[in-house]
Amino acid sequence: MNKPSLLLALGLSLGVSPAPVLAQSGHAGHHPAPATATDASHSAHEGQDDPHQGHHMHHGHGTHGAAHRARGSDPRFPPLTDAERAAAFPPLAAQHMHGDRTHYRFFAERLEWQDADEGSALYWDFQGWVGGDINRLWMRSEGERVAGHTEKAELQLFWGHAIGPWWESVAGIRQDFKPGSPQTWAALGVQGMPLYGLETQLTAYLGEGGQTGFRAKFEYDVLLTNRLILQPLAEFNLHGRNDPARATGAGFSDAELGLRLRYEITPLLAPYIGVSRHRAYGNTADYLRAAGEDKGDTRLVAGIRFWF
């Protein structure tokens, strides 16, 4: 008979519980004695004091629970006071999403030199607004000067009203100064960022003499680094009637596609370089060919973008 069996038989014959006997054997570490009812009751009571104690005891960190329970009574761990809580969590000022204050912004989206076929060109695309979070007065201006002569210039004024988290409706007027004689349009549209930063402008126009037009403009910023940003751009123009005086044909009139790479010295100031492709279509292209001009050209551009 082996030694554990002999000790077990001896214990039973003497009327002694086998647990102490086994605990004294060399194999007690592999066969721990079962807990008594008193031990179970004490463990359950400790579990009520510290809901995480069972987890800590399971991993051999039972002293953590004892230190945690002694926090309020041990002078080394005094309980928190109301003054300490107030200092740790000061009251925050109320934030008003839609206040009555008036703000403004001005954006020089594009102020650039272009290498045009007719000579050096200066192009601008400005936007700005003044107002609050819901209602704003908007301004847009685009234009181009080639070899010292203004080829295109327009100014638009809109009243903007927020119609959702990402959309704003606009209504106002557009004044064309060039090409041709000045022309005034009524304008109605929407603008916003519907898809992850895709800046979108969709505007319909009603001009003098029943002329109609529609412009769609899209811009998107691709962050190559925190400062280096690639911006694709697309603009499309459609008209309802032929206008030979302004070399504008009915239907899909013209489109511009561009790609610009800018470096943000600061968020307010960024020089850039890029390429721009403009092309006329349909009757608009026919008018340009009749005047001895190309229906499209590709230009290298360099400029600066800023806002305040």
Side-chain angles (χ1 to χ4, degrees):
M1 180 180 297
N2 57 29
K3 185 178 179 180
S5 301
L6 180 61
L7 290 175
L8 177 60
L10 179 60
L12 291 175
S13 65
L14 295 176
V16 181
S17 174
V21 177
L22 290 175
Q24 296 176 7
S25 70
H27 300 279
H30 298 285
H31 301 282
T36 63
T38 304
D39 295 334
S41 175
H42 182 66
S43 299
H45 180 69
E46 288 184 348
Q48 292 177 1
D49 291 342
D50 185 359
H52 301 287
Q53 171 125 2
H55 174 74
H56 297 313
M57 291 296 290
H58 179 72
H59 293 282
H61 302 289
T63 56
H64 175 79
H68 180 72
R69 292 192 301 275
R71 186 179 181 88
S73 58
D74 193 326
R76 294 176 301 173
F77 303 100
L80 291 175
T81 65
D82 292 339
E84 290 173 330
R85 291 190 181 93
F89 303 99
L92 299 177
Q95 300 293 323
H96 301 286
M97 182 63 69
H98 305 297
D100 297 329
R101 297 181 60 184
T102 299
H103 305 275
Y104 69 90
R105 288 289 184 273
F106 176 82
F107 305 89
E109 296 288 347
R110 287 185 283 170
L111 180 59
E112 63 190 28
W113 165 87
Q114 298 182 350
D115 181 22
D117 294 338
E118 301 85 357
S120 297
L122 174 66
Y123 185 89
W124 71 87
D125 181 356
F126 299 153
Q127 298 185 53
W129 60 264
V130 58
D133 299 311
I134 301 297
N135 297 297
R136 297 175 179 179
L137 177 63
W138 278 88
M139 179 275 295
R140 300 178 192 165
S141 178
E142 292 186 40
E144 179 184 61
R145 287 178 60 84
V146 180
H149 299 283
T150 301
E151 301 289 337
K152 173 185 176 182
E154 67 179 45
L155 176 64
Q156 304 183 61
L157 296 175
F158 301 108
W159 182 255
H161 179 76
I163 56 176
W166 306 108
W167 287 105
E168 182 177 10
S169 62
V170 293
I173 61 172
R174 163 184 155 188
Q175 181 65 43
D176 290 352
F177 301 97
K178 292 285 186 178
S181 59
Q183 185 179 27
T184 304
W185 308 72
L188 180 66
V190 293
Q191 61 185 17
M193 292 187 181
L195 297 172
Y196 304 101
L198 177 65
E199 296 187 22
T200 303
Q201 294 178 0
L202 305 173
T203 314
Y205 302 97
L206 177 61
E208 299 173 276
Q211 176 67 290
T212 58
F214 178 78
R215 177 177 296 170
K217 187 174 180 180
F218 307 96
E219 296 178 4
Y220 187 75
D221 286 345
V222 180
L223 273 68
L224 304 180
T225 70
N226 288 337
R227 294 181 180 270
L228 198 61
I229 300 171
L230 185 66
Q231 183 190 62
L233 176 146
E235 180 177 318
F236 308 97
N237 289 284
L238 297 86
H239 291 88
R241 294 184 178 182
N242 292 323
D243 188 351
R246 298 177 178 85
T248 300
F252 185 26
S253 302
D254 63 274
E256 178 187 351
L257 300 177
L259 191 64
R260 291 166 175 80
L261 180 66
R262 70 176 184 266
Y263 180 81
E264 292 191 345
I265 300 174
T266 72
L268 308 181
L269 181 65
Y272 63 84
I273 58 174
V275 61
S276 177
R277 171 67 178 174
H278 180 271
R279 190 179 190 281
Y281 297 89
N283 291 338
T284 302
D286 295 338
Y287 290 140
L288 292 176
R289 280 193 293 264
E293 300 181 16
D294 295 332
K295 63 179 182 180
D297 64 337
T298 302
R299 303 178 180 181
L300 298 177
V301 304
I304 189 168
R305 182 180 188 267
F306 63 91
W307 65 274
F308 56 83

